[in-house]
Amino acid sequence: MRAVLPWAVAATAIVALPFTFPGGGTITILNQMAITITFALSYNMLLGQGGMLSFGHAVYMGLGGYGAVHLMRWIETDGLSIPLPLVPLAGAFVGLAFAALVGLISLRRAGTTFAMISLGVAELVVASAVIMVTIFGGEGGISADRTMGPRVFGSQWFTAAEVYWLIAGWAFVSALLMYLFTQTPAGRAANAVRDNAQRAAFLGISPARTRFVSFCASGVFAGIAGALLAINLEIVTDEALGLQTSGEILLVTFLGGVGHFAGPVLGAIAFTLVKTVIGLETPFWGLYTGALFVVLVMFAPRGLAGIIADHLDAVRRGQLGKLMVPYLLVTCSGLAALLGAIGLLELAFHLREAGIGKTALTLFWTGMDAAHPLPWVAFATLGVAGCVLCYRSLPTLRARLAEVRTP
């Protein structure tokens, strides 16, 4: 039951979410979330399970997307009778092929050397994408029509809701397969090499061969994520290969928690919500995400999943009630400081970018004038008071946490 229950809950959520939050915008966010989850879990196979830090993992997702979009174009132009649900297999094949090629070259070294090689490969592929226009389409990318293939159960994939079931199904199956991989001897060997490669070699485990297997498996699922991206957007550009995408997935994985399988899932959900929901309200969503990442690395290096895991023992022993008041004080004061800082930043940006006489804005569902001193004073007071109260509440919270964590 402990092994099956999380997957049953995940399957139930996949089925229930489109009906709980209907609407085209919500379906679009769910599609992006499922793709990011698949991509983040594939990256965690390298970093979390195998200890391989890669700065160019987006290459395998991007190449998988290009492989899928070319197959969709062949279905459209040549009349290939391949249904759309099988297109992600093309992305998996391309991701596997390129991961095997790069792995043969780069996995003889680990640590910083491997990270620098991955960065160089990423730069090489991105530069090639601009030059090789026939394959990559240049800066404009390559587009295809996902509706040209044969019908499957009467679906022609015209709407985002129809595409959701395809993407969510592939994301669920991919996540399950990646979890099962961690339970295999190859997955356990990757953990051993990550923890101590020299001792693993002494026990007869080849570090290079073990890393190669994990690297190829990660390339397969990164290619699937790229194919799902191509199906969702019906276009793939060189942005999917770029260093920004690789940096984002690194942030997502650390945000959720590298040491836990569910960590990248939590990080992908949080990052997608920040990027889509908050991104529609303010252009500073990247700044807020970066600040959240810095705070988590400083105070909770194990990520969101680590925070949850740290409190499970307190829940089992019935001591979570001791943390309620300190957490309430720190949360309220921290939220006040955050709102104050966001308010000052948004006021300054609006006052700088707005035209003459257009100083009115709506912030936190409240209309205000950026040129009037009252909003500035209110947000500054809120921010300073929140910082002071949070600073004074933190020692109490740390003492209670130490008391609860002590057996």
Side-chain angles (χ1 to χ4, degrees):
M1 288 298 298
R2 180 179 295 181
V4 173
L5 183 60
W7 298 102
V9 172
T12 304
I14 289 173
V15 175
L17 282 174
F19 302 102
T20 306
F21 304 99
T26 303
I27 297 299
T28 302
I29 294 175
L30 291 176
N31 289 340
Q32 295 177 0
M33 195 177 294
I35 295 170
T36 307
I37 288 173
T38 307
F39 187 31
L41 285 174
S42 72
Y43 185 71
N44 194 50
M45 293 182 71
L46 289 183
L47 183 60
Q49 300 295 324
M52 293 175 280
L53 176 62
S54 173
F55 291 133
H57 195 62
V59 167
Y60 310 100
M61 183 184 77
L63 291 177
Y66 276 108
V69 80
H70 276 294
L71 179 58
M72 291 164 61
R73 288 172 65 90
W74 291 336
I75 293 173
E76 179 181 356
T77 57
D78 299 340
L80 296 178
S81 183
I82 300 177
L84 190 66
L86 297 182
V87 169
L89 294 177
F93 175 77
V94 174
L96 172 62
F98 194 75
L101 177 63
V102 175
L104 289 173
I105 303 172
S106 62
L107 291 175
R108 298 179 183 274
R109 297 291 185 268
T112 305
T113 304
F114 172 77
M116 292 299 102
I117 292 175
S118 68
L119 181 61
V121 170
E123 290 285 2
L124 178 64
V125 174
V126 171
S128 301
V130 180
I131 300 173
M132 303 170 66
V133 181
T134 305
I135 300 177
F136 298 99
E139 296 181 354
I142 296 180
S143 60
D145 190 351
R146 64 173 178 246
T147 65
M148 300 305 295
R151 291 174 177 266
V152 179
F153 300 113
S155 178
Q156 198 65 24
W157 322 105
F158 284 110
T159 64
E162 291 178 326
V163 177
Y164 166 78
W165 297 111
L166 171 60
I167 294 177
W170 266 103
F172 181 82
V173 172
S174 299
L176 180 59
L177 292 176
M178 281 185 273
Y179 174 76
L180 293 176
F181 178 83
T182 64
Q183 308 301 310
T184 62
R188 298 300 189 185
N191 298 154
V193 172
R194 174 199 62 191
D195 296 337
N196 194 321
Q198 186 175 6
R199 181 173 294 181
F202 179 77
L203 295 175
I205 300 174
S206 173
R209 188 181 306 160
T210 301
R211 293 192 186 105
F212 181 77
V213 172
S214 297
F215 194 74
C216 290
S218 176
V220 168
F221 294 106
I224 291 176
L228 297 179
L229 180 67
I231 292 173
N232 186 41
L233 301 180
E234 295 182 292
I235 186 173
V236 179
T237 65
D238 58 351
E239 183 181 352
L241 300 163
L243 293 178
Q244 180 179 352
T245 306
S246 297
E248 285 181 355
I249 206 61
L250 176 63
L251 186 148
V252 166
T253 307
F254 269 103
L255 182 65
V258 176
H260 304 269
F261 181 82
V265 178
L266 299 177
I269 293 173
F271 181 81
T272 304
L273 290 177
V274 170
K275 186 176 181 179
T276 55
V277 178
I278 300 181
L280 295 175
E281 302 295 333
T282 174
F284 289 110
W285 71 267
L287 177 62
Y288 301 146
T289 306
L292 176 62
F293 176 73
V294 172
V295 170
L296 278 176
V297 170
M298 292 176 59
F299 297 102
R302 296 172 58 195
L304 298 175
I307 294 175
I308 296 174
D310 288 341
H311 293 78
L312 288 179
D313 289 337
V315 173
R316 296 189 187 100
R317 295 197 299 265
Q319 295 181 339
L320 192 62
K322 297 180 180 180
L323 301 174
M324 297 303 295
V325 175
Y327 265 129
L328 184 61
L329 291 175
V330 172
T331 301
C332 292
S333 58
L335 185 60
L338 180 64
L339 292 179
I342 292 175
L344 293 175
L345 184 63
E346 295 289 343
L347 287 174
F349 177 77
H350 184 80
L351 196 61
R352 176 182 174 86
E353 299 297 329
I356 300 176
K358 298 180 180 180
T359 57
L361 77 157
T362 301
L363 188 58
F364 302 125
W365 306 282
T366 304
M368 58 189 70
D369 187 0
H372 197 277
L374 181 60
W376 291 86
V377 173
F379 282 123
T381 304
L382 184 65
V384 172
C387 289
V388 172
L389 183 58
C390 184
Y391 180 77
R392 293 184 177 181
S393 303
L394 280 175
T396 303
L397 177 60
R398 293 194 184 99
R400 291 292 179 85
L401 283 173
E403 178 184 350
V404 169
R405 291 172 181 173
T406 302

